[in-house]
Amino acid sequence: MLAVTSPTLPYPSSNNHRNLHQYLSAQIRQLSPERSGKASMGGKTHVRQDNAQAVEPSQRPIRRVATEAPARSTPNGVSTPDRDAIGTTLDGDDRSTKPAPLVRSNSDFGPRRADLPDRREPAEDSWELRHGWDEKYNSPEYLDKLRDTWYMCYTEKRHETGGKPRQENPSRNTSEWRMRDRLKTVSAALTICLNIGVDPPDVVKTNPTAKLECWIDPTASIGTNNKTMEQIGKKLQEQYEGLSIRVRYKQYLDPSVEETKKFCMSLRRNAKDERILFHYNGHGVPLPTPSGEIWVFNRNYTQYIPVSLYDLQMWLGAPSLFVFDCSNAGNIIANFHRFVAKHEEENAKARKNDPSVQLQTHGDNIQLAACGKSESLPTSPDLPADLFTCCLTTPIDISLRFFLLENPLPNGLTLRDVTRIPGRLAERRSPLGELNWIFTAITDTIAWNRLPRTTFKKLFRQDLMVAALFRNFLLSERIMRSNGCHPMSVPSLPETHNHPLWQAWDLTIEMVLAQLPAMVAADEGGTPYEYRHSDFFTEQLTAFEVYLVQGAPNREAPSQLPIVLQVLLSQVHRLRALILLSRFLDMGPWAVNLALTIGIFPYVLKLLQSAAFELKPVMIFIWARILAVDGGCQTDLIKDNGYQYFINILNPANPLVVTNADEHRAMAVFVVAMFCRGFNQGQTVSLSPDLFNCCINHMQDDNNQLLRQWSCLCISMLWADFPEAKWAGIRCQAHIMLCERWNDRIPDVRAAALHALNNFLGIPDLTPQVAHYEETVATLVMRMAADGSSMVRRELLVFCSTFVKRYQGKFLVAAFEQLAKEKEDLMQAGGHGESNPKRGTLVKTDSSQDSQDSKSTRVSYGSVQGTMWMHLLIMSIDPHPEVAQDAKCMVDYVHERLLQSPLGPRAQPLMDDIIRLSRRAAAAKSQPPSRQASVAPNGRRTPAAGSPAPPALPKNESYLSMGMRKSASMAAALKHLTFGTPEAPASLEEKSATTYQRVPGGPVRTRVPAEWIKPPDVHDPTTHAKTYVKAKTPKSNGYTKRDPNSPAASMPLKSGFFDWSIEVLHLIEFRANHIPEKHALTALQYFREPQMRGTESEEPGSGEYNKKLWRRNRNDRVLAETQPLKVVAGTSKWDVPMGFFNNGTQPTKMCFHQFEDHLAIADDRDTICIWDWTKNQRLNRFSNANPDGTRINEARFINEDDQAFLLTGSSDGIVRVFRNYESPENIELVSAFRGLTRRIASPRMAGLVLDWQQGQGKLLVAGDDRVIRVWSAAAEICSTEISARSSAPLTSLTTDAVAGEILIAGYGDGALRVFDQRSPPQQAMIQLWKKHKQWITNVHMQRGGLRELVSGCRDGEVKLWDLRWRDEISTVKAVEEGSVMRGLSVHEHAPVFAAGSSTHTLTLYNTSSPHPLSVLEPTSPSSYSGVLPHLNRNTPIASAALHPHRMVLAGAAMGSTWVNLWGCKGAERGV
């Protein structure tokens, strides 16, 4: 349910918990005072009020932001802002705050919008509302409350998905952010071929030329060449150790070919399957050959010996990392793959000859080369000779040198000065360390933005050595390109030398060098100088924040994400970085996957060891997001007791430094639940009485539904398949506390409790004590069989399936005894039962001595198994198709096992007899009316049209191959549906005597004729089944017919509730990508949906927002056009033809949509047609799926202010809600439940009557029962049962739809009773009127206008009432003397009502005048064809309806399928 509420109203507990946003915004404002006045986190703040229970807790709040505008005074004296001024404010240029969310459009559920122009006639200004409500309803406070508080019902996630997950395990489809084949470089061969003092023959050096090798000048060294080579080798090793100190380095200085082969093979032997680094410096040997050969020496250093790539690959194998620093290095890269292919070809042949042979692989190789095929290395004397190696191993030093050489502006620094920057690379707070830190962040970011994701993960996240070399390789590409060389790599990388972040790197270097003279002077004893740290990370975090404010357009990955990762290393920026990271993760699973791919996980895992209180709220949020996307982090949490971080938070004794602590505890309990899920080690370490007690305490927190739901699921995961935890829970009474959640206000919590109780079953040793615990739980949870949520009922069936499987033997006995009892009942109905020809139905008295004897001999009588079996039979014909399918699967399973058991030979004849008797009953029912015993002398059926039908054979086929088994279970289920279900499951058998007994025959008032207290349509014929064309039945979203052979049809049933609770298929993404939403099997769930920003419908400029805005303006336009016509409607004729169309079936109920041009028409069986009445075009035709012998009693549009649903009620007590009712392709069943769970058999059947309170989100249901049930649409449970205070059936209901406090009920004996819902149910009646003497046809209170209360009975008397008076205000005889009033329709705003008679007339009256405005007679084509020269005045009016706002009347006559539309003269512009 969706709630729009004013900031002054109590704030409901919501599914969208965005209070973390307040905390995070406050933290950012503290960290960045200069931005405290800006909307740094979306510009929207939600404030929670203290009293959170005033509104249903599952409603999502949308608040209207007040805007200043010029005020004006309305005729009621309410000062309101001018409408044009509001429009100007909304369209203004001030963009510092988010535009106000849409407010509700004015409708008939509340007073007129104060910001609409007042167009009432002057004569109406002096009128006052009835019932003394004028002062109350016109007060400014009340008008603001009604204008800003409203609900959208049946729009929650569970209604869109039915509580079913999109897939069995959502974590399996997450991106593979973990490197499953993670490698590491374990050994390195540093091969240096310089041959100092001897230049190779094919190399011509410039003079001067580059000399430095590893920053050492070989020509300036004092000593022998060997010692110089040792210095260079040692320096190269030190440089590589700066990249990774864990690698085993080995220097090979001027090696021979034999040594090369030896050390290469030795490295591979020691490294096994890990990576080897082969660094080759070939500055003192000839250039690589065109075939890719490199050169080494002979033993005497008298010859250069080539080494083939083929041999090198064979010696080193794979995986390997090659670095080639020499001229013409591109020749090596060009030929490398050719030799790899040759090796693989040889391996393939060897495997063909010997499949078991062990071969060396050669494919996984990475190569880095200094230049292309025909390029020579730079020879500038200002650069080192091994420039490529310097770039790869000392990036900071070469960057500083490169900056000085490339900077055209003089700065007074020399190349020697840049080596004097203080600090160490490992100290991030020192100048040199900060440079290294920023360089790492920049190169990571460049790679993240330019490289494909798979390449990035392989090169930058798989191996620390590879990642370091490739980060530095990006720098080499920039520096080498500026010197005429093009470094090459395999895999090849896109160009990165021109990335904009290199400018940020230059700026960082310039800022450090600008401070270098002062730092050097301070080191030499001069003036002390405090180093000013770079603003790089602060600025990049600000850029990341701007990205978040923009809402991640097109889901583009933020370029600053790797920088955020680096910032987490700093305590200075850590909190702000975590806050921004949490906002990014809040965008959905795609954002979480990106963050995990970039490598955020090790950092947030390490932070669990931090004791900082300020980090706990944001850490909880981040971990909840991560585990919602990938639940495979359990082993990581068990390291260093990371899970204890969240268990400690659950303890109320450990305070959280955040205002919404309960919501963060809900996230923490979610993390613990995910940690225990299917992870025995996690269950073991988490098991403690303290955790159980914390979850039990949180289950009773009425202010936070999420905390209650996940506390239940945490217990469920803790004791699933873990007997020790179940016994610990028993000692804590956890199973009893879970059962107490059966009437929780939130369906998700009730389903979570059932999920936990289902996992409670199954303690291995089934002792009497264990059986007692489990049967106690089963007895308590069966109260949820009448739950209004299909998700809860389906979860109950999962529990029942586990219970049935565990106690299968007892259920077989219960099923057998039920078959025997059913056969006995059918035989009594067929020949031994007493038949009453006046009623046409069986008079059954289960309290007889025979029945009592039968009960006493039944083993299953009074047992938990017998009671549950009765409920399963009833649920097998549940109105929701998925619930019915699951129950049928269980019933068939039990029957199949029964036939396979020792009772099978006795059960099969029982089933055969039941089938035979059921067919006989069905055949008797299908006989023509003239041959039935219940036919009256005039040929019309005597039972009420809405009375339930006798048991009939099911239309659906069985899941088993033998249909007889299904028929038996369905016959039993139909019988119990006919007579109703008991209130208390534990005493179902005992209550059956009173439940099945009929009300004593004869009229309640013996002083009046019997016809007076019968429905006006009691003798109406019903379309015969043979001539009736069935329409398509809508199914729920994602419904699929179950294959009996599929694993899903096996017992016990599998629950998908836990997966659904954490799963998401972003509807925002669907809308953004123009993907039809009908393909989405689930919607946004809390831990994956955005919490710190509004939904798409709340974002100005979005498609959904624009649609809502259009609908609101459309609604306001309709109101502005129709409100001034109320006086015209009460004084003018209503004889203007507006439409004429053929419905195809007999119309019996009609309902107009307030704002859409939709007219819903229900016929005399189970079909509903949706018409566009302005075009006489039928939009859709579908079946309501109510069984034969029943009809649709009510049809209402709900949520009319936005996207309307269609709500129907049928005479079998079922309420259904349909979405997309006007579309044949997209129509869906949203909800279906038994509005009347107990129906009293009576000779005067009223079926079901209801009234919908949109403003309160309540559905009031009554009829053939002695109570009025108030169903909460948000909670989907019966919140109140008000005693009807009469044995007569309720025939009509109406309420004060604005405040929803007063309820008026009409009865079959002519009485009217007024109830106040604020009073206790047994004391709710506050007024009783007995002025009518016959069946109340309708009682209705206007939702607009003067709130007139109008009632009419079958004799044609229409009375107006005031709740304060004991007598009626006025009485009008609305039909001719001797005729029957068939229907009464009251306009919601105009003082007009229409009465349909049994003499084919529709008469319209003004509520203040006894004289009719118009007398209309519905016509059909035969009326004009000449076949029937006169109208058939013997056909009564079947249905009539007035439009809620427009001056339009629809009517239809009995025996005709045509619908007539009339309008009011002078009100055409309102039509």
Side-chain angles (χ1 to χ4, degrees):
M1 172 175 288
L2 186 63
V4 177
T5 180
S6 167
T8 61
L9 294 177
Y11 190 102
S13 298
S14 167
N15 279 339
N16 277 352
H17 300 270
R18 297 189 175 92
N19 286 331
L20 177 66
H21 188 188
Q22 304 171 25
Y23 172 78
L24 302 182
S25 298
Q27 294 290 346
I28 287 184
R29 286 194 296 269
Q30 293 174 7
L31 295 169
S32 304
E34 68 276 10
R35 291 185 298 276
S36 61
K38 299 181 181 180
S40 62
M41 298 196 65
K44 186 175 181 180
T45 302
H46 293 263
V47 181
R48 179 181 293 278
Q49 303 295 331
D50 292 332
N51 47 346
Q53 299 183 14
V55 186
E56 292 295 341
S58 68
Q59 299 156 2
R60 180 177 299 133
I62 302 177
R63 287 182 302 286
R64 178 169 183 254
V65 179
T67 54
E68 296 183 2
R72 62 179 180 84
S73 179
T74 65
N76 292 328
V78 181
S79 180
T80 61
D82 184 73
R83 181 181 178 88
D84 296 334
I86 290 181
T88 303
T89 305
L90 291 176
D91 297 335
D93 293 330
D94 184 11
R95 302 178 185 270
S96 61
T97 59
K98 189 174 181 179
L102 297 180
V103 298
R104 67 169 293 185
S105 62
N106 197 22
S107 68
D108 57 4
F109 299 115
R112 293 172 54 192
R113 285 258 309 265
D115 54 356
L116 283 176
D118 189 270
R119 302 186 182 181
R120 293 190 302 173
E121 296 294 332
E124 193 179 344
D125 291 346
S126 60
W127 293 358
E128 292 186 357
L129 300 181
R130 296 284 187 200
H131 323 297
W133 289 342
D134 188 77
E135 181 178 353
K136 174 182 178 181
Y137 282 177
N138 288 321
S139 65
E141 297 81 5
Y142 199 78
L143 289 175
D144 291 341
K145 175 182 176 180
L146 294 177
R147 180 172 61 247
D148 297 333
T149 306
W150 60 295
Y151 308 110
M152 296 297 293
C153 305
Y154 297 104
T155 57
E156 294 293 330
K157 309 169 194 62
R158 61 181 178 271
H159 300 121
E160 299 178 4
T161 66
K164 295 175 305 195
R166 180 172 58 94
Q167 55 207 9
E168 292 184 1
N169 190 352
S171 64
R172 293 179 182 174
N173 285 351
T174 58
S175 65
E176 290 293 332
W177 58 273
R178 292 180 186 268
M179 299 303 298
R180 305 299 178 185
D181 54 345
R182 191 178 186 93
L183 298 174
K184 59 181 179 180
T185 302
V186 297
S187 300
L190 306 181
T191 308
I192 306 175
C193 299
L194 293 180
N195 196 14
I196 298 175
V198 180
D199 292 335
D202 56 351
V203 175
V204 178
K205 294 184 178 180
T206 61
N207 190 16
T209 186
K211 298 179 181 180
L212 299 179
E213 297 283 352
C214 297
W215 303 106
I216 296 176
D217 185 356
T219 64
S221 299
I222 301 175
T224 64
N225 292 340
N226 290 337
K227 184 169 289 189
T228 303
M229 283 291 296
E230 291 176 1
Q231 293 176 354
I232 293 174
K234 184 178 179 180
K235 184 65 174 178
L236 179 62
Q237 180 174 337
E238 291 177 356
Q239 292 175 186
Y240 266 108
E241 286 175 347
L243 303 181
S244 179
I245 198 172
R246 296 184 178 181
V247 179
R248 296 189 300 268
Y249 297 98
K250 186 66 175 178
Q251 306 168 26
Y252 299 99
L253 310 177
D254 292 338
S256 64
V257 63
E258 292 82 3
E259 292 174 340
T260 303
K261 178 180 179 180
K262 181 179 179 180
F263 73 69
C264 286
M265 297 183 69
S266 176
L267 286 174
R268 173 49 58 197
R269 184 169 53 252
N270 295 330
K272 297 182 180 179
D273 294 331
E274 299 292 347
R275 181 174 281 120
I276 295 173
L277 169 64
F278 181 80
H279 179 95
Y280 177 74
N281 182 329
H283 298 171
V285 293
L287 303 178
T289 66
S291 61
E293 295 171 314
I294 61 175
W295 299 87
V296 291
F297 304 95
N298 63 358
R299 290 186 177 182
N300 299 324
Y301 297 97
T302 59
Q303 291 181 338
Y304 299 105
I305 306 299
V307 176
S308 170
L309 284 179
Y310 177 86
D311 294 334
L312 187 62
Q313 292 171 359
M314 183 169 57
W315 298 338
L316 287 175
S320 298
L321 170 60
F322 297 89
V323 177
F324 299 107
D325 187 357
C326 57
S327 299
N328 291 5
N331 287 330
I332 305 174
I333 301 298
N335 291 277
F336 198 94
H337 183 70
R338 179 166 60 89
F339 290 105
V340 169
K342 185 176 181 180
H343 280 293
E344 295 297 332
E345 182 179 352
E346 293 174 355
N347 287 346
K349 292 180 180 179
R351 290 191 186 96
K352 186 176 180 180
N353 297 331
D354 184 6
S356 61
V357 65
Q358 297 293 328
L359 300 173
Q360 175 67 50
T361 60
H362 303 86
D364 188 6
N365 290 297
I366 300 174
Q367 301 111 52
L368 299 176
C371 57
K373 289 183 179 181
S374 57
E375 295 177 346
S376 298
L377 296 179
T379 58
S380 171
D382 295 328
L383 295 174
D386 60 344
L387 177 61
F388 184 64
T389 299
C390 290
C391 291
L392 294 182
T393 58
T394 57
I396 305 303
D397 294 338
I398 196 63
S399 294
L400 293 169
R401 182 179 289 259
F402 177 74
F403 177 82
L404 282 182
L405 295 176
E406 296 293 321
N407 187 11
L409 300 177
N411 51 23
L413 298 176
T414 64
L415 294 177
R416 182 179 294 273
D417 292 336
V418 299
T419 61
R420 304 180 64 184
I421 295 179
R424 295 190 306 116
L425 293 177
E427 296 177 356
R428 286 189 293 270
R429 299 300 295 169
S430 66
L432 193 60
E434 186 179 58
L435 278 175
N436 185 58
W437 185 24
I438 294 175
F439 174 79
T440 302
I442 287 178
T443 50
D444 251 13
T445 304
I446 292 174
W448 167 259
N449 293 328
R450 291 290 173 88
L451 271 60
R453 292 289 178 260
T454 55
T455 305
F456 176 83
K457 288 194 296 182
K458 178 180 179 181
L459 300 181
F460 288 83
R461 293 296 180 264
Q462 189 182 60
D463 187 337
L464 293 178
M465 175 63 78
V466 174
L469 287 176
F470 269 91
R471 274 197 297 267
N472 300 341
F473 178 78
L474 302 182
L475 175 67
S476 72
E477 186 182 20
R478 184 190 189 208
I479 295 178
M480 299 290 285
R481 275 177 176 266
S482 65
N483 289 276
C485 292
H486 297 79
M488 301 178 66
S489 68
V490 176
S492 61
L493 304 182
E495 292 185 357
T496 59
H497 65 282
N498 55 356
H499 195 279
L501 274 179
W502 287 122
Q503 299 177 10
W505 175 237
D506 291 340
L507 176 62
T508 302
I509 293 177
E510 184 175 11
M511 296 297 294
V512 173
L513 293 181
Q515 303 178 70
L516 182 58
M519 291 187 292
V520 171
D523 291 342
E524 294 176 350
T527 305
Y529 180 80
E530 183 178 355
Y531 174 70
R532 186 168 65 88
H533 294 279
S534 173
D535 294 331
F536 173 79
F537 288 110
T538 302
E539 294 169 352
Q540 292 299 317
L541 287 179
T542 302
F544 186 45
E545 187 176 346
V546 171
Y547 165 88
L548 295 174
V549 171
Q550 293 176 348
N554 301 323
R555 292 199 314 170
E556 293 181 357
S559 59
Q560 301 83 12
L561 195 57
I563 298 176
V564 177
L565 177 67
Q566 291 294 323
V567 171
L568 293 180
L569 300 174
S570 169
Q571 292 185 355
V572 177
H573 304 287
R574 180 176 296 162
L575 179 58
R576 185 185 180 199
L578 286 174
I579 292 173
L580 295 178
L581 177 63
S582 67
R583 290 181 56 191
F584 175 67
L585 299 182
D586 186 57
M587 293 183 173
W590 68 272
V592 177
N593 284 325
L594 283 177
L596 293 175
T597 302
I598 200 64
I600 211 78
F601 186 77
Y603 295 83
V604 295
L605 181 63
K606 188 67 176 177
L607 286 175
L608 292 180
Q609 307 304 316
S610 172
F613 285 100
E614 66 274 8
L615 296 183
K616 286 188 176 182
V618 67
M619 285 297 296
I620 296 170
F621 186 89
I622 290 174
W623 269 97
R625 292 290 164 173
I626 291 175
L627 287 175
V629 173
D630 189 347
C633 305
Q634 297 158 315
T635 55
D636 300 285
L637 281 175
I638 211 168
K639 297 176 182 177
D640 301 325
N641 295 329
Y643 67 92
Q644 200 66 39
Y645 187 90
F646 304 98
I647 293 180
N648 293 336
I649 290 172
L650 296 181
N651 192 341
N654 296 328
L656 282 174
V657 189
V658 64
T659 56
N660 53 337
D662 285 345
E663 295 173 5
H664 286 78
R665 287 196 173 94
M667 300 179 201
V669 77
F670 163 75
V671 172
V672 177
M674 293 296 295
F675 173 65
C676 295
R677 185 188 188 190
F679 186 46
N680 183 260
Q681 193 175 0
Q683 292 173 309
T684 303
V685 298
S686 301
L687 178 59
S688 67
D690 291 340
L691 179 58
F692 268 110
N693 291 329
C694 288
C695 291
I696 290 173
N697 291 333
H698 293 322
M699 275 195 299
Q700 304 174 47
D701 185 355
D702 292 335
N703 296 325
N704 193 303
Q705 71 160 78
L706 202 67
L707 184 57
R708 299 199 306 274
Q709 175 183 346
W710 280 101
S711 295
C712 296
L713 291 177
C714 182
I715 294 177
S716 178
M717 294 297 102
L718 180 59
W719 66 21
D721 300 323
F722 190 27
E724 290 81 359
K726 294 178 183 179
W727 284 112
I730 290 174
R731 289 189 289 270
C732 297
Q733 295 293 303
H735 61 299
I736 301 299
M737 302 304 296
L738 286 167
C739 291
E740 293 181 358
R741 293 290 98 196
W742 73 275
N743 62 345
D744 193 277
R745 300 193 310 271
I746 305 300
D748 298 27
V749 179
R750 303 198 296 271
L754 282 171
H755 190 279
L757 292 172
N758 177 58
N759 284 338
F760 173 75
L761 301 176
I763 296 178
D765 296 331
L766 187 55
T767 62
Q769 182 184 16
V770 172
H772 170 72
Y773 289 139
E774 294 181 346
E775 290 179 351
T776 299
V777 169
T779 301
L780 295 175
V781 301
M782 288 314 297
R783 292 176 291 185
M784 303 171 78
D787 198 281
S789 171
S790 61
M791 179 180 68
V792 176
R793 298 199 302 274
R794 203 165 60 252
E795 201 64 27
L796 174 63
L797 287 176
V798 175
F799 172 89
C800 292
S801 67
T802 305
F803 194 79
V804 168
K805 186 77 173 179
R806 188 162 171 83
Y807 298 91
Q808 180 173 302
K810 294 183 178 181
F811 277 94
L812 297 183
V813 174
F816 177 80
E817 292 182 344
Q818 177 61 29
L819 289 174
K821 182 177 181 296
E822 185 168 349
K823 176 186 174 182
E824 179 185 351
D825 293 343
L826 289 173
M827 291 180 65
Q828 290 180 359
H832 303 283
E834 180 185 352
S835 178
N836 189 332
K838 293 184 179 181
R839 301 181 186 179
T841 54
L842 175 67
V843 178
K844 179 177 174 61
T845 309
D846 284 348
S847 59
S848 65
Q849 184 62 38
D850 293 341
S851 178
Q852 294 296 336
D853 293 342
S854 175
K855 290 180 181 179
S856 61
T857 59
R858 290 165 55 190
V859 178
S860 63
Y861 171 71
S863 67
V864 177
Q865 289 78 12
T867 301
M868 184 177 289
W869 179 246
M870 299 282 285
H871 279 288
L872 291 177
L873 294 178
I874 295 170
M875 296 179 76
S876 66
I877 53 169
D878 192 272
H880 198 279
E882 296 179 11
V883 178
Q885 180 172 250
D886 288 345
K888 290 173 187 175
C889 184
M890 296 176 59
V891 170
D892 289 341
Y893 171 82
V894 173
H895 281 163
E896 183 180 21
R897 296 298 183 271
L898 176 61
L899 293 177
Q900 297 172 358
S901 71
L903 291 174
R906 299 182 60 188
Q908 187 64 65
L910 287 176
M911 292 184 176
D912 296 338
D913 292 342
I914 290 173
I915 293 175
R916 176 175 51 81
L917 294 172
S918 299
R919 287 175 177 170
R920 181 185 302 173
K925 178 188 174 185
S926 62
Q927 291 178 359
S930 60
R931 299 185 61 183
Q932 294 188 29
S934 59
V935 174
N938 58 4
R940 294 178 177 173
R941 296 187 303 115
T942 55
S947 61
L953 287 179
K955 299 178 181 179
N956 298 330
E957 297 180 357
S958 173
Y959 290 102
L960 304 174
S961 59
M962 299 178 63
M964 62 188 69
R965 305 167 192 166
K966 178 67 168 294
S967 300
S969 67
M970 291 299 291
L974 284 172
K975 176 176 72 66
H976 291 290
L977 172 65
T978 301
F979 292 105
T981 63
E983 180 177 9
S987 58
L988 182 142
E989 301 275 353
E990 292 82 354
K991 285 184 176 287
S992 61
T994 57
T995 304
Y996 291 176
Q997 285 182 351
R998 295 185 176 277
V999 177
V1004 176
R1005 298 183 182 180
T1006 58
R1007 295 171 296 179
V1008 298
E1011 288 292 324
W1012 286 19
I1013 51 177
K1014 289 184 179 180
D1017 58 353
V1018 67
H1019 298 303
D1020 289 351
T1022 303
T1023 305
H1024 198 272
K1026 292 184 178 180
T1027 61
Y1028 190 78
V1029 179
K1030 282 284 187 179
K1032 181 181 178 181
T1033 301
K1035 302 297 183 182
S1036 57
N1037 190 3
Y1039 170 79
T1040 55
K1041 189 174 181 180
R1042 178 175 292 152
D1043 183 359
N1045 299 320
S1046 67
S1050 60
M1051 290 290 111
L1053 299 174
K1054 303 300 181 184
S1055 172
F1057 177 76
F1058 190 93
D1059 288 333
W1060 174 81
S1061 297
I1062 60 174
E1063 187 188 25
V1064 65
L1065 189 62
H1066 281 272
L1067 295 183
I1068 291 178
E1069 299 172 15
F1070 274 93
R1071 298 186 185 108
N1073 298 325
H1074 306 287
I1075 301 175
E1077 291 183 18
K1078 66 180 181 179
H1079 297 299
L1081 296 185
T1082 186
L1084 305 172
Q1085 276 299 317
Y1086 178 84
F1087 291 108
R1088 288 186 173 186
E1089 71 177 356
Q1091 300 302 315
M1092 291 185 255
R1093 59 186 177 92
T1095 60
E1096 186 192 18
S1097 60
E1098 299 173 5
E1099 295 293 335
S1102 67
E1104 286 300 311
Y1105 183 93
N1106 292 338
K1107 291 178 182 178
K1108 285 182 176 291
L1109 181 62
W1110 181 88
R1111 285 191 290 265
R1112 186 190 70 170
N1113 293 334
R1114 185 272 314 272
N1115 300 347
D1116 289 345
R1117 184 176 65 254
V1118 170
L1119 294 170
E1121 292 173 352
T1122 57
Q1123 289 294 318
L1125 304 177
K1126 293 187 293 185
V1127 177
V1128 176
T1131 57
S1132 303
K1133 293 290 184 180
W1134 284 67
D1135 53 2
V1136 180
M1138 299 298 300
F1140 185 57
F1141 53 84
N1142 186 1
N1143 187 59
T1145 55
Q1146 174 65 63
T1148 57
K1149 292 290 179 181
M1150 294 190 288
C1151 179
F1152 282 98
H1153 191 291
Q1154 288 193 72
F1155 305 111
E1156 301 283 354
D1157 298 328
H1158 294 166
L1159 173 63
I1161 302 176
D1163 64 12
D1164 56 351
R1165 291 179 71 92
D1166 69 342
T1167 302
I1168 299 174
C1169 294
I1170 306 297
W1171 288 83
D1172 184 333
W1173 58 269
T1174 61
K1175 301 177 181 178
N1176 293 344
Q1177 177 184 358
R1178 191 175 73 185
L1179 304 177
N1180 194 12
R1181 180 177 184 266
F1182 60 93
S1183 172
N1184 190 57
N1186 46 289
D1188 292 340
T1190 64
R1191 64 170 60 185
I1192 301 170
N1193 289 127
E1194 300 282 356
R1196 304 289 178 89
F1197 290 105
I1198 66 174
N1199 300 343
E1200 294 173 277
D1201 285 303
D1202 193 38
Q1203 290 179 303
F1205 292 177
L1206 180 65
L1207 182 146
T1208 66
S1210 51
S1211 57
D1212 58 350
I1214 304 299
V1215 176
R1216 293 176 175 86
V1217 181
F1218 299 95
R1219 178 194 295 115
N1220 302 325
Y1221 58 86
E1222 77 283 2
S1223 172
E1225 297 81 14
N1226 300 324
I1227 185 171
E1228 296 172 357
L1229 178 67
V1230 176
S1231 179
F1233 60 94
R1234 300 188 189 280
L1236 290 181
T1237 56
R1238 296 190 304 270
R1239 296 182 55 218
I1240 305 300
S1242 169
R1244 310 180 312 279
M1245 303 296 287
L1248 176 143
V1249 294
L1250 59 82
D1251 194 53
W1252 171 252
Q1253 293 183 343
Q1254 182 73 47
Q1256 303 298 318
K1258 293 181 180 178
L1259 177 67
L1260 290 87
V1261 182
D1264 299 324
D1265 201 350
R1266 293 197 177 99
V1267 295
I1268 303 170
R1269 284 177 171 77
V1270 181
W1271 289 84
S1272 169
E1276 294 190 75
I1277 57 174
C1278 180
S1279 58
T1280 308
E1281 288 191 354
I1282 302 174
S1283 175
R1285 305 289 293 272
S1286 174
S1287 60
L1290 261 97
T1291 63
S1292 181
L1293 278 177
T1294 189
T1295 62
D1296 167 27
V1298 179
E1301 300 166 352
I1302 302 301
L1303 160 67
I1304 303 96
Y1307 293 79
D1309 59 0
L1312 293 172
R1313 288 177 172 83
V1314 182
F1315 301 89
D1316 191 335
Q1317 298 186 55
R1318 296 167 294 183
S1319 302
Q1322 298 301 325
Q1323 305 172 10
M1325 194 182 77
I1326 59 175
Q1327 185 67 277
L1328 172 62
W1329 293 310
K1330 291 188 176 181
K1331 301 299 182 178
H1332 290 292
K1333 302 303 180 184
Q1334 298 189 25
W1335 183 283
I1336 298 296
T1337 302
N1338 191 17
V1339 58
H1340 187 82
M1341 177 179 286
Q1342 286 184 317
R1343 299 176 181 179
L1346 299 182
R1347 304 293 193 270
E1348 296 283 10
L1349 176 59
V1350 184
S1351 67
C1353 64
R1354 74 189 309 272
D1355 63 356
E1357 284 190 353
V1358 177
K1359 298 179 181 293
L1360 270 65
W1361 306 89
D1362 192 300
L1363 296 176
R1364 299 168 294 178
W1365 298 358
R1366 303 186 65 85
D1367 297 322
E1368 68 272 22
I1369 298 174
S1370 62
T1371 302
V1372 176
K1373 185 66 174 178
V1375 299
E1376 301 175 4
E1377 192 66 34
S1379 63
V1380 176
M1381 186 168 71
R1382 296 293 303 262
L1384 175 67
S1385 180
V1386 182
H1387 200 282
E1388 299 291 1
H1389 293 274
V1392 175
F1393 67 87
S1397 71
S1398 59
T1399 56
H1400 201 78
T1401 58
L1402 268 171
T1403 309
L1404 287 99
Y1405 288 87
N1406 189 309
T1407 55
S1408 59
S1409 172
H1411 305 292
L1413 297 174
S1414 295
V1415 179
L1416 307 172
E1417 295 183 338
T1419 58
S1420 61
S1422 60
S1423 304
Y1424 302 101
S1425 63
V1427 178
L1428 295 176
H1430 301 287
L1431 296 175
N1432 185 1
R1433 301 188 65 86
N1434 292 325
T1435 58
I1437 297 297
S1439 180
L1442 283 163
H1443 194 285
H1445 296 294
R1446 302 188 186 277
M1447 308 309 154
V1448 177
L1449 170 67
M1454 183 61 63
S1456 173
T1457 61
W1458 291 82
V1459 177
N1460 293 254
L1461 298 176
W1462 297 276
C1464 176
K1465 285 185 178 179
E1468 290 81 358
R1469 64 190 178 95
V1471 176

